[in-house]
Amino acid sequence: MRYLVFVPLSVFMLVVFGGIVCCQRPAVVNIGAIFTFNSVIGRAAKVAMEAAVSDVNADPMILNGTELKLFMRDVKCNVFMGSIEAFQLIEKEVVAIIGPQSSSIAHMISEVANGLKVPLVSFAATDPTLSALQFPYFIRSTQSDSQQMAAMADLIDFYGWKEVIAIYVDDDYGRNGISALSNMLEKNMAKVSYKLPLPVQFNQHDITVLLNNSKPLGPRVYVVHVSPDPGLRIFTTAQKLQMMTNNYVWLATDWLSATLESFSKMNQTSLRILQGVVGLRQHTPDSIPKKAFLSRWSGMQQKGLVSAGLNTYGLYAYDTVWAVARSIDKFINEHNITFSASHELPDSKATRVQLEQLKVFDGGTFLLRKLLQTNFTGLSGQVQFNQDRNIVSRGYDVINIDKMEIHRVGYWFDGSGFSVLPPETLKGKNVSHSQLDWKLQNITWPGGKTETPRGWVIADNARPLRIGVPRRASFVGFVTEEHDSHKVQGYCIDILLEALKLVPYDVPYKFELFGDGLSNPSYDGLVKMVANDVFDAAVGDIAIVTNRTKIVDFSQPYISTGLVIVAPINNHKASAWVFLKPFTVEMWCVTAASFVMIAVVIWILEHRVNDDFRGPPRRQIATMFLFSFSTLFKTNRLGFSDLVYVSVTVVTLLCFSDSCLLSVFVLNQISLAILEEATVSSLGRFVMVVWLFLLMVITSSYTASLSSILTVQQLSTSVKGIESLITNDWPIGYQVGSFAYSYLSDSLRIQKSRLISLGSPEDYERALRQGPRNGGVAAIVDELPYVQLFLSNQTDFGIIGQPFTRSGWGFAFQRDSPLAVGMSTAILKLSENGMLQKLHEKWFCKEGCPEERRQHSEPHQLRLISFWGLYLLCGTITFTAFLVFLLRMVCQYVRYKQQQMHPHSPSSSSSFSTRYSKAVFNFFDFIDEKEEAIKKMFTQCDYPQVHGSSGR
């Protein structure tokens, strides 16, 4: 019975005491910290961690009575010292180590942490190669440089720079940071052109030598990635070397912001040398606890307890202590803190090294797991670790120093790029990730200018850019050399010159001709010379095709093109209005106006002397126009001999006739010979002769043109497309030097014996007209721009189908040339501002663009420009005849008025007044009188007695 009672009691006591032992909380928990006390980061971190330990111990919600004790060790920026101090901390049985701030030291003691299973939490080691796979006990409570270099690469890309110079300290932190930058820039088609390392303990002389060596280089964008430097020695030296001017760009990683934030107000004058510098700063969102701690820090500064300002790394150090404390609190609720000797360590007696004091933390794995589960809001923001054991990225501030002040011009956040709004305000919103939506406030660059610097110049020792230019023998409007001045010019050259104006740096160049000028050169050969470093670039009508893109880089195409087929076509369709085609609209209008003019002038000249032109108004109008248009039909009866007769007569009258009677006689005979009804007045006959001469020329030309249109050979082709060319054995023409030859023979497998090289538009026309049976070709395959120019003056040939390849013309550059990207951007700008179209019109639209000339022109049309001299002659003579007639009428009317006012005798005056005062009242009525009546009136006035006696 006693045994039955004793057993349950024993079990109960074991459970109670076992639980007490397992859940027993230690009175003190030790943690360590390794960093450099006398440094920009260390001065802020030391005070911040001491404050954090004090706050943790004062908070009853954390550790619940267990004291957190912090052992700090100064490594003095020395890797060896860091290793020694790490071992000394391990002897203190610390459960976690905070630090170090140096990436090089972190690499070393991370191995120690792995071996002894002590979590190592660094608030300042940013080297991206500190990998969780290699160092599983290493945790980073600050942002990795992989994030910072992504932000820096985006900043460089945002302003369009393609080459930078990197200045860095030659240790793990500097080398690996710049390596990450190089990788990020490559994604943006940019690169670190020159890497300029500084010794770990660099001095003023090292900086001066390095900067002087960088001056002759081309890039002017400097990225400075060094440890925090209170003396700002790099920028001080750069200012002395005149390298802080508007030709330079200085970008700094977050070491600069950490340095500037640590300055006291007395040291703010140092900002003067940083005019225009742009830097990054780890973003820490504003919060009430952060503002309270900043106020507390200011109070400590006033009391003399703190000598430096609080920087971002100080906030990270404070939060790191809290993260470790929270994790320990959760750990000791479940586990005891115990250490044990490691069986993996060598025998201390054999090595004479006292390794027995180094013990492995038994709960290291569990504490590490608690640390990785950390999730709270600290002074620096949300404290949480990702799968790479880095703190979750909070983004970066972009700062700009201007007028001795630090201006925040924007923010960068991974995934959303640059914005003028803080990253925390964008959470939960549909944020665009497009670079087109990136925004930053205006930045003041070195020299005080707000215009973005070019960032690149031709190096002092660089030779001018060698640009290969094809020396074309045909289609020289694209690119050619003037024979007299040997100047290279053309459509492609003008595009290059305009694009160079938009490239954000100066590019000295020289043109080098390729080809003999007797025939078009091989463009594949030209591109290969660029790839072989004979030329730096090639400019011209160079098609962007696959085999060429494998060896060179091309710019953005400046004109779209493709291979098309040209063949004879049936270009004439039946039309009910074909009789209108011989004349252009302008020609028809001028001819019709001429008929009206002649009708009016002949009526005026004949009205007083010809009864056929008198009578009621309706009859006179009908007679006037019928007479004018009847000349058209009557001239059709004239033969070639009549035309010559009239021509000779007109020339004789105009140049050699001094006899008025002879002129009248000849004109009368011509009128009688041509017209059934002869004109009566001499002026009318003279006008009619000239008019009939013009009319005979016009009608004969019209007849010839209409006959040509109606009887032109109706050309046609059996070529329907590229398939019909492939399946048949017709000869095919191509332009010398064009890639069409290789495309037809290699890609389409057309026999090379069928391919006929043609060198000029004249060769094109001859070969097409001859046809495949007469030594010509069935069709020509060439690029669209050439074909458009060829067809602009041709009507019997046309494009068959659509282009069967799609490509463009661009400029060729050597691989990885920054000019390829710069020129592409410039060409896009030329396209947007309309300059490409203007250059096209300048070279190919002097008489109308090729497509417009072909669209608006008809074959065999007669244009006004061909007859304007004849029309001018006819119009001048007609107007002169009208003026002569008008002068005669004015003279007669003046004579009439004088005789009316001053008669020779009273009887004649009475008779004159009585007979004509009622009939003639004004000048127009006077003109309307018949010539015979007026002459009779003047005769009676001049010889009144004779007329009077005869009257009796």
Side-chain angles (χ1 to χ4, degrees), residues 307-329:
S307 60
L310 176 64
N311 54 42
T312 305
Y313 289 100
L315 298 177
Y316 281 126
Y318 181 91
D319 287 343
T320 302
V321 173
W322 272 93
V324 171
R326 288 173 179 271
S327 300
I328 293 175
D329 183 48

Side-chain angles (χ1 to χ4, degrees), residues 473-652:
S474 63
F475 298 105
V476 294
F478 292 105
V479 58
T480 190
E481 178 196 26
E482 285 188 348
H483 296 291
D484 298 332
S485 63
H486 299 289
K487 179 182 178 182
V488 178
Q489 65 176 8
Y491 169 65
C492 304
I493 301 299
D494 280 1
I495 291 178
L496 171 70
L497 298 180
E498 290 295 332
L500 287 177
K501 296 178 182 178
L502 301 177
V503 174
Y505 39 80
D506 295 324
V507 183
Y509 61 88
K510 64 176 181 179
F511 292 124
E512 297 184 9
L513 293 169
F514 176 73
D516 55 11
L518 302 178
S519 62
N520 295 333
S522 170
Y523 281 63
D524 286 336
L526 176 61
V527 172
K528 288 179 181 178
M529 294 186 73
V530 176
N532 295 333
D533 198 30
V534 178
F535 298 135
D536 298 310
V539 172
D541 44 338
I542 306 172
I544 304 174
V545 293
T546 304
N547 63 330
R548 296 174 183 174
T549 58
K550 294 178 181 179
I551 58 176
V552 297
D553 288 341
F554 277 96
S555 67
Q556 175 80 13
Y558 57 84
I559 187 173
S560 298
T561 182
L563 290 178
V564 295
I565 301 172
V566 182
I569 60 172
N570 185 349
N571 200 34
H572 305 285
K573 299 180 181 179
S575 173
W577 304 98
V578 69
F579 67 90
L580 296 176
K581 289 186 177 181
F583 286 172
T584 60
V585 176
E586 295 83 359
M587 187 70 176
W588 279 116
C589 292
V590 173
T591 302
S594 300
F595 274 103
V596 175
M597 179 189 70
I598 291 298
V600 173
V601 173
I602 291 298
W603 177 82
I604 294 175
L605 298 178
E606 294 292 319
H607 178 67
R608 303 180 76 241
V609 296
N610 196 334
D611 291 336
D612 292 333
F613 289 87
R614 301 187 64 84
R618 183 178 299 177
R619 177 187 172 186
Q620 293 185 51
I621 293 175
T623 303
M624 177 173 60
F625 286 102
L626 285 175
F627 178 82
S628 176
F629 286 99
S630 66
T631 58
L632 174 63
F633 303 102
K634 292 170 182 178
T635 51
N636 291 331
R637 299 179 302 180
L638 299 178
F640 179 75
S641 59
D642 298 319
L643 179 60
V644 174
Y645 172 66
V646 173
S647 303
V648 174
T649 302
V650 172
V651 173
T652 303

Side-chain angles (χ1 to χ4, degrees), residues 102 142 166 483 647 650 804 875 926 940:
S102 168
T142 185
H483 296 291
S647 303
V650 172
F804 56 90
F926 180 81
Q940 290 179 355

Side-chain angles (χ1 to χ4, degrees), residues 289-302 310:
K290 177 183 176 181
K291 292 179 180 179
F293 191 77
L294 290 173
S295 177
R296 177 180 171 187
W297 192 278
S298 299
M300 289 189 291
Q301 280 184 308
Q302 293 176 358
L310 176 64

